[in-house]
C-alpha cells in the first residue's frame, strides 16, 4: 500500500540572457511561425517595413535559463522508507541566428544535474532546425523540432508524431519532437501542415507522412489530421478547443484500425497469449482549464480537470 507523503519544494528560478535578449523574449522565441509578427499599424507598406525591421534588428541571440530546486519528502507514518532530500539544477541554452529576413537557424539544449551522491549530469539536444520560406506564403522547417498536435493538458492521444510522451505529473514540460520536414501554408482563418517524419526510418518506405489542418470558427479551433507509415497502423485525429467565459474547454479523439502494440490476453484454454488487435480502436479525452488572477496581480488561482478514455 502506498503511504501518503509530505512534499516540500523550494524552486528558485534564475534567468540569464546574452546578446541583448530581453526578459520577455523567451516566451516568444519558439513561436510556431518564426516569420510572423503582429504590428499595430494601418498602412500596408509601413506594416512590411516594421516587420522586416523587427526580424533583422538582431542577427544572433544566445541565452538560456537555469532553475535550482530543493525537494524534501518524508512519510507521515512509520514505514521502512526513509526521508528523501534532493538538490537539482536544470535549464536550457539556445542559439538563435537569423542571417537574413527569410532564414533562421536554431539550436537548443536541455541540461540537468542531480546533486546527489552520484551527481549525474546530462545534456540533451532538444531542437536543431532551419527555417526558410517561399514568397512569404509557404514556410519550411527542417530538422529536430518540437511539435504539439494535441490540445489536452494531462493526456494527449492526438499528438501522434511527438517522440516524447506527455507526463501527467509535468504537463507543462516540453515533449521531445521528431526529426522532420514541415511544410506550413497559413491562411486567414486556416492553417495547413504537412510533416515528413524520419525518426526510426531505415528506408524511404519507412518515412511517415502526417498532414494536419486547423480551422477557426468563432471562438473555437478545430483540428483534423492523420498519420501514415507503411509498417505502422494508420491513425486519424480530431481536436477541438474553445472557451466559455473564463473557462477553456478542449477535446481530442483518435481512431485507428488495430494497434502497433502487442496485448497479452487469456485464450480459450485460459493460458496467456500474445494478441495483435485488428479491430477499430477509439481513444478520446475531454477537459477544461480555468485560471483567474487577483486584481493586483500578486497571485492566481488555477484549476484543470481531464477525462481520458483509452
Amino acid at each position: 500500500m502506498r503511504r501518503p507523503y509530505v512534499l516540500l519544494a523550494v524552486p528558485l528560478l534564475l534567468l540569464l540572457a546574452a546578446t541583448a535578449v530581453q526578459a520577455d523574449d523567451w516566451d516568444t522565441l519558439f513561436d510556431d511561425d518564426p516569420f510572423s509578427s503582429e504590428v499595430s499599424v494601418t498602412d500596408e507598406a509601413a506594416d512590411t517595413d516594421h516587420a522586416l525591421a523587427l526580424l533583422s534588428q538582431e542577427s544572433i541571440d544566445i541565452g538560456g535559463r537555469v532553475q535550482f530546486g530543493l525537494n524534501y519528502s518524508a512519510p507521515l507514518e512509520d514505514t521502512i522508507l526513509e526521508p528523501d532530500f534532493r538538490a537539482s539544477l536544470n535549464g536550457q541554452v539556445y542559439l538563435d541566428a537569423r542571417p537574413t529576413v527569410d532564414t533562421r537557424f536554431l539550436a537548443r539544449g536541455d541540461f540537468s544535474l542531480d546533486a546527489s551522491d552520484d551527481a549525474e549530469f546530462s545534456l540533451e539536444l532538444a531542437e536543431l532546425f532551419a527555417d526558410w520560406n517561399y514568397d512569404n506564403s509557404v514556410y519550411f522547417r527542417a530538422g529536430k523540432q518540437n511539435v504539439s498536435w494535441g490540445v489536452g493538458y494531462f493526456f494527449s492521444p492526438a499528438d501522434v508524431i511527438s517522440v516524447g510522451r506527455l507526463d501527467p505529473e509535468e504537463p507543462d514540460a516540453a515533449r521531445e519532437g521528431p526529426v522532420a520536414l514541415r511544410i506550413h501554408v497559413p491562411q486567414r482563418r486556416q492553417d495547413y501542415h504537412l510533416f515528413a517524419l524520419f525518426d526510426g526510418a531505415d528506408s524511404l518506405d519507412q518515412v511517415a507522412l502526417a498532414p494536419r489542418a486547423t480551422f477557426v470558427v468563432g471562438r473555437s479551433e478545430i483540428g483534423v489530421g492523420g498519420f501514415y507509415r507503411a509498417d505502422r497502423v494508420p491513425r486519424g485525429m480530431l481536436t477541438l478547443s474553445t472557451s466559455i467565459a473564463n473557462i477553456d474547454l478542449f477535446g481530442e479523439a483518435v481512431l485507428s484500425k488495430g494497434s502497433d502494440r502487442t496485448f497479452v490476453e487469456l485464450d480459450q484454454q485460459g493460458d496467456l497469449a500474445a494478441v495483435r488487435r485488428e479491430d477499430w480502436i477509439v481513444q478520446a479525452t475531454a477537459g477544461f482549464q480555468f485560471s483567474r488572477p487577483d486584481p493586483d496581480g500578486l497571485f492566481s488561482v488555477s484549476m484543470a480537470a481531464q477525462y481520458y478514455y483509452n
Side-chain angles (χ1 to χ4, degrees), residues 47-128:
D47 179 67
T48 302
D49 293 340
H50 280 74
L52 293 176
L54 179 64
L55 290 174
S56 59
Q57 62 182 349
E58 292 180 355
S59 59
I60 297 179
D61 287 341
I62 302 174
R65 62 179 178 181
V66 177
Q67 178 173 320
F68 175 72
L70 300 175
N71 183 290
Y72 177 80
S73 63
L76 291 177
E77 301 178 9
D78 293 334
T79 67
I80 60 174
L81 300 177
E82 297 292 336
D84 180 69
F85 174 79
R86 289 183 179 273
S88 61
L89 183 71
N90 57 75
Q92 296 176 339
V93 291
Y94 69 85
L95 183 148
D96 184 23
R98 297 177 185 266
T100 68
V101 173
D102 296 324
T103 57
R104 177 196 185 198
F105 302 94
L106 184 137
R108 182 168 64 89
D110 297 331
F111 63 88
S112 64
L113 173 64
D114 184 0
S116 59
D117 295 336
D118 297 333
E120 297 181 356
F121 178 81
S122 65
L123 177 63
E124 297 180 356
L125 178 65
E127 290 187 287
L128 179 63

